[in-house]
Amino acid sequence: MARSTVSRRRAVQLLGAGFALAACGVEGRGAKGQVSQSDVQEYWSGRARTGKLSWANWPGYMQDDHETIKAFEKATGIKVTYKEVIQETGPWFGKIQAPLAAGQSIGFDLMVMTNGIQLEKCRQLGYLAPLDPSRLGNFAANAGPGFKNPSYDPGNAFTVPYQSGITGIAYNTKYIKDEITSIAQLFDARYKGRVGMMGDSQELGSFGMLLLGVDPEKSTLADWERAAAKLREQRDRGIVRKYYRQDYVDAVSKGDVWLSMAWSGDVYSLTSPDVRFVVPEEGGTLWTDNMCIPKTAENPVDALTLMDWLYVPANNAPLTEFVNYITPVPATKQIIAADAAKATGDDRKDLTRLSTSPLVFPSETDLARLRRYRRLTQAEETQYQKVFEPIAKGS
């Protein structure tokens, strides 16, 4: 059941590249991005199902035979046009910004966007439809507590999660006999030249702050500078072998690096029994890909119907069995375990591994240690990049 996650995470790491695009955007105005009950009523008043919708998503985020979409169509009678057109967050925002700013359709009623700069801009600029909680009963009943009311979208006013992943530490037990439990071990001189760090500024900076006991979401410029000083010291002492984008996966498998910052989905997809993944005691970062509706959507009721339908555990389980990322519907774990019990051979082995994996179903203890990226204003983006971007570049 496991599949390669490279294409998805390789795209997500380009969140950092979005900083360069952000300067081209427009700042939010005042309370823009907040939503009231009257806003919800005004948007949804008089709207009804049309029996169709168009969905923009990332590659590898749906079964090859579109099993989940077919089940939704059968259950609801709504026809779905599904396209894997989102490759990177920055270019996607660049494509949709002009029509959304002009109040025009982008040709999609539902899209999946990662929490970060571009999603924040869509929220602040009023490009997203406010969600109607009265039509999201399955979400209210079945979403895990860690996926409700996220800092990047208070009250899930505009988004509900599709899939999530963790940034933690991967290490190769062939070369490291000690148990790895801490970010501090990425700074240990014993592993000089054998440590991998991420080149993405948000990921790198967040780990530097977590090392210092700082929650990245609540961090200040002074915190960034302190974290950057520790990260520069780590680099200048020769502890870091390389700042990676995606190729750390092969490096840690082969032993080029012995321990590295890593994404949970990548490690889950590895067949090597020597590589382990851990959420460090200081914490890790949690990223989330979110379903949201462009304000100019032509079929928003149908899109909202699909969003809520995916929060029925039995509907979500087949998708989770394929995607192998963290599902926002924890009750799928029991369903997948039951599927494993009925399966045979490799399918049974794969489903059992999936249902028991902390990389797909992290414990409440692990989730409590996870933090999200700092929400940055346009002015803060510039400051943040000046502090952290030079580290991986060696300047």
Side-chain angles (χ1 to χ4, degrees), residues 191-373:
Y191 306 128
K192 182 176 180 179
R194 296 296 184 178
V195 171
M197 299 293 284
M198 289 183 176
D200 175 83
S201 296
Q202 278 191 301
E203 294 281 32
L204 183 64
S206 293
F207 257 51
M209 286 182 269
L210 289 169
L211 175 68
L212 298 175
V214 174
D215 182 343
E217 291 183 88
K218 301 173 182 177
S219 60
T220 64
L221 176 59
D223 295 324
W224 304 345
E225 290 173 340
R226 287 196 301 130
K230 293 291 291 184
L231 291 163
R232 281 195 302 273
E233 179 185 357
Q234 178 201 35
R235 179 198 66 190
D236 295 344
R237 292 173 62 198
I239 295 173
V240 180
R241 180 183 181 88
K242 185 178 177 181
Y243 293 91
Y244 292 94
R245 291 291 181 179
Q246 180 65 41
D247 45 342
Y248 75 86
V249 178
D250 289 336
V252 75
S253 297
K254 295 176 180 177
D256 293 340
V257 296
W258 296 349
L259 66 168
S260 178
M261 293 178 64
W263 292 303
S264 55
D266 281 346
V267 178
Y268 183 88
S269 68
L270 290 176
T271 57
S272 170
D274 301 316
V275 179
R276 295 180 184 173
F277 180 89
V278 62
V279 177
E281 58 192 21
E282 299 91 344
T285 50
L286 177 71
W287 54 266
T288 299
D289 286 338
N290 302 273
M291 294 182 285
C292 49
I293 300 172
K295 200 168 187 178
T296 56
E298 297 173 356
N299 309 290
V301 175
D302 304 80
L304 195 62
T305 301
L306 173 55
M307 292 164 74
D308 195 49
W309 183 88
L310 284 171
Y311 275 84
V312 175
N315 298 339
N316 191 281
L319 187 65
T320 300
E321 289 178 5
F322 174 78
V323 175
N324 297 166
Y325 280 108
I326 299 172
T327 174
V329 187
T332 58
K333 181 174 183 176
Q334 288 72 36
I335 296 173
I336 296 171
D339 288 345
K342 292 182 289 186
T344 59
D346 288 343
D347 281 349
R348 180 166 189 162
K349 180 180 178 181
D350 289 344
L351 288 170
T352 299
R353 177 183 178 229
L354 182 69
S355 67
T356 57
S357 173
L359 305 188
V360 180
F361 297 100
S363 67
E364 289 301 317
T365 300
D366 279 351
L367 284 173
R369 295 205 302 272
L370 299 178
R371 299 293 180 264
R372 296 191 183 274
Y373 307 129

Side-chain angles (χ1 to χ4, degrees), residues 143-213:
F147 299 96
K148 293 180 177 178
N149 193 34
S151 60
Y152 59 85
D153 182 25
N156 295 99
F158 300 96
T159 69
V160 295
Y162 183 68
Q163 299 286 327
S164 288
I166 300 169
T167 306
I169 299 174
Y171 66 104
N172 193 318
T173 57
K174 284 178 63 178
Y175 304 95
I176 295 181
K177 301 307 178 184
D178 296 334
E179 185 178 4
I180 298 298
T181 60
S182 171
I183 293 174
Q185 289 168 288
L186 293 169
F187 293 72
D188 193 328
R190 288 186 300 166
Y191 306 128
K192 182 176 180 179
R194 296 296 184 178
V195 171
M197 299 293 284
M198 289 183 176
D200 175 83
S201 296
Q202 278 191 301
E203 294 281 32
L204 183 64
S206 293
F207 257 51
M209 286 182 269
L210 289 169
L211 175 68
L212 298 175

